[in-house]
């Protein structure tokens, strides 16, 4: 995985803040995600990592600073010192290069696997049905599910559902994919198949931001690991730096907890 | 005079069947219009803009808190004084549709709210228009989720058509109470009247179960 940091970042987060009323949940966040970079956000629950991801997608409105997607400010229009909410049309324009995968899959239950993948191709990209189906089948094939094209979500396992959700997110050919704890709702035995699909995507050069509790995945696949605690970035670096280098006490404690939880044999 | 004279019913069968058809006709139209109006009202109830939400909430509260009979009288007898002239069947269907819209709207709203927010977030990120989200993702699921409530409301509206007899709509109640007072065969006519409504309600309920089974085949969570 070779990265040229000379490339313009796809996602730029600058001095970003987020408050829910009085409660500040993200404090002065700065991040750059470059093409083909895989960034993993780790941290204890309530540290703000999911909120950060949702602010990048503008599913939550950040309350200060800027989030740029391929150079465009997402969610707001800035004129002089005035900031206004962007129109839906503008928001959609900035989001067009973004895909997102959720913890709860969020497949549309009344559509087949193929229907889920092709819906945006037909409704948003306005492809004809035949062309959309060909493309949809190719995407399902990519996640190893072309045989399940005509199954409804309720007829698929959790792992299969999440792979369909990944294929659906890929349909709009995004330049960055956001994952919000994609394996946290899965039975442990099904986690592997989803992580494998994500590894394949990373190897193909997909730019990804992944909120995860899978430290093994972060260590093996990430180019950058970001540790958040109480709404602040405490450490940012290569997996080697974060997992093996000197650590702030909070990270030490977090990783120790993780090890204790996963150790079942002395 | 016999205790229960079936002959009265047989003699008046054509009239009774006409009344039955009129009742079905009024029910179907009132429910169809009520659902369309209810969907628009439900969208208003869920609107983020108070300028829409508050007046529509007021509309729902007024309709639900006043008797259907009074609403029908207002429309039929009060209508002409503001230039609305309707024949009895038109007034009956429109009145019942308005009455039903408030109940359908609350049902639709509950159905929309039962769809997980995340499904809509996905559609938002993928750039779907609000119209596409409504017709492709929200309405198909909402309709399945609320089938039992929909059947219930439709049965209640079907029975409310009896009120239309008061403004002389020649539906079941009008026809059978008419026959009753001409022939004094009250027991016979009222029993048949009750049975007819029972058949209507039971058919609606069967139709609902069939639809629910078909629609929710793949929707179990």
């Amino acid at each position: 995985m070779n990265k040229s940091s000379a490339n313009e970042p796809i996602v730029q987060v600058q001095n970003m803040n987020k408050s829910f009323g009085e409660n500040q949940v993200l404090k002065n966040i700065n991040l750059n995600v470059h093409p083909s970079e895989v960034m993993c956000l780790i941290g204890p629950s309530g540290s703000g990592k999911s909120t950060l991801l949702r602010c990048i997608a503008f599913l939550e409105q950040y309350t200060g600073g800027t989030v740029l997607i391929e150079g465009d400010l997402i969610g707001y229009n800035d004129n002089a010192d005035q900031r206004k909410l962007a129109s839906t049309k503008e928001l959609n324009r900035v989001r067009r290069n973004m895909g997102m995968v959720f913890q709860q899959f969020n497949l549309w239950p009344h559509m087949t696997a193929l229907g889920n993948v092709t819906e945006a191709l037909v409704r948003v990209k306005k492809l004809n049905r035949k062309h959309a189906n060909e493309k949809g089948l190719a995407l399902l094939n990519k996640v190893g599910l072309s045989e399940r094209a005509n199954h409804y979500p309720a007829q698929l396992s959790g792992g299969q559902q999440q792979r369909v959700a990944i294929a659906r997110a890929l349909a709009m050919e995004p330049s960055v994919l956001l994952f919000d704890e994609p394996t946290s709702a899965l039975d442990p035995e099904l986690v592997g198949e989803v992580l494998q699909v994500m590894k394949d995507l990373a190897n193909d050069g997909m730019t990804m931001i992944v909120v995860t509790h899978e430290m093994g995945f972060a260590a093996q696949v990430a180019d950058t690991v970001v540790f958040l605690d109480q709404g602040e970035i405490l450490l940012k670096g290569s997996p080697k730096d974060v997992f093996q280098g000197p650590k702030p006490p909070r990270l030490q404690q977090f990783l120790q907890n993780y090890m204790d939880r996963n150790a079942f044999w002395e | 005079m016999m205790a229960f004279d079936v002959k009265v019913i047989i003699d008046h069968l054509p009239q009774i069947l006409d009344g039955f058809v009129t009742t079905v006709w009024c029910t179907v139209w009132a429910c169809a219009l009520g659902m369309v109006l209810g969907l628009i009202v439900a969208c208003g109830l869920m609107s983020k803009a108070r300028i829409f939400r508050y007046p529509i909430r007021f509309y729902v509260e007024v309709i639900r808190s006043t008797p259907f009979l009074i609403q029908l009288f207002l429309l039929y007898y009060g209508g002409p004084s503001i230039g609305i002239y309707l024949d009895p069947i038109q007034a009956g269907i429109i009145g019942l549709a308005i009455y039903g819209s408030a109940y359908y709207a609350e049902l639709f709203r509950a159905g929309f709210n039962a769809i997980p927010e995340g499904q809509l977030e996905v559609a938002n990120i993928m750039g779907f228009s609000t119209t596409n989200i409504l017709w492709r993702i929200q309405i198909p699921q909402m309709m399945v989720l609320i089938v039992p409530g929909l059947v219930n409301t439709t049965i209640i509206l079907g029975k409310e058509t009896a009120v239309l007899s008061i403004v002389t709509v020649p539906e079941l109640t009008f026809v059978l109470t008419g026959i009753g007072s001409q022939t004094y065969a009250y027991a016979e006519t009222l029993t048949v009247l009750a049975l007819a409504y029972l058949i209507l309600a039971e058919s609606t309920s069967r139709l609902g179960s069939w639809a629910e089974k078909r629609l929710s085949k793949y929707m179990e969570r």
Side-chain angles (χ1 to χ4, degrees), chain B residues 69-86 91 167:
Chain B
L69 182 66
I70 313 294
Q71 295 168 21
L72 184 62
F73 278 177
L74 265 175
L75 184 65
Y76 186 63
Y77 296 117
S81 59
I82 52 163
I84 300 173
Y85 298 91
L86 297 167
V167 295

Side-chain angles (χ1 to χ4, degrees), chain A residues 54 108-110 119 168, chain B residues 118-119 121 126 136 141 218:
Chain A
R54 292 173 62 81
W108 301 309
H110 58 300
E119 188 64 16
R168 176 176 65 177
Chain B
Q119 287 186 28
E121 289 181 344
M126 298 187 87
R136 299 289 306 167
Q141 290 190 68
Y218 303 112

Side-chain angles (χ1 to χ4, degrees), chain A residues 213-243:
Chain A
H213 291 291
E214 296 290 334
M215 295 305 142
F217 177 83
Q220 286 171 35
V221 183
D223 300 298
T224 314
V225 175
V226 175
F227 176 69
L228 276 107
D229 185 51
Q230 297 185 358
E232 283 177 290
I233 294 179
L234 286 198
L235 191 63
K236 179 165 61 178
S238 70
K240 199 163 180 242
D241 293 344
V242 171
F243 292 123

Side-chain angles (χ1 to χ4, degrees), chain A residues 54 57 59 92 95 98-100 102 106-111 119-120 123-124 152 154-155 168-169 172, chain B residues 116-130 132 136-138 140-141 218-221:
Chain A
R54 292 173 62 81
L59 292 174
N92 282 345
R95 272 175 176 165
M98 190 182 269
M100 188 156 175
F102 295 78
N106 290 328
L107 293 180
W108 301 309
H110 58 300
M111 296 179 195
E119 188 64 16
R123 304 289 153 186
V124 183
Y152 285 83
Q155 299 169 311
R168 176 176 65 177
M172 296 299 284
Chain B
E117 182 66 24
Q119 287 186 28
L120 309 182
E121 289 181 344
V122 173
N124 277 326
I125 287 190
M126 298 187 87
F128 284 75
S129 66
T130 314
N132 269 333
R136 299 289 306 167
I137 295 165
Q138 291 180 286
Q141 290 190 68
Y218 303 112
M219 294 267 295
E220 66 262 51
R221 294 151 199 253

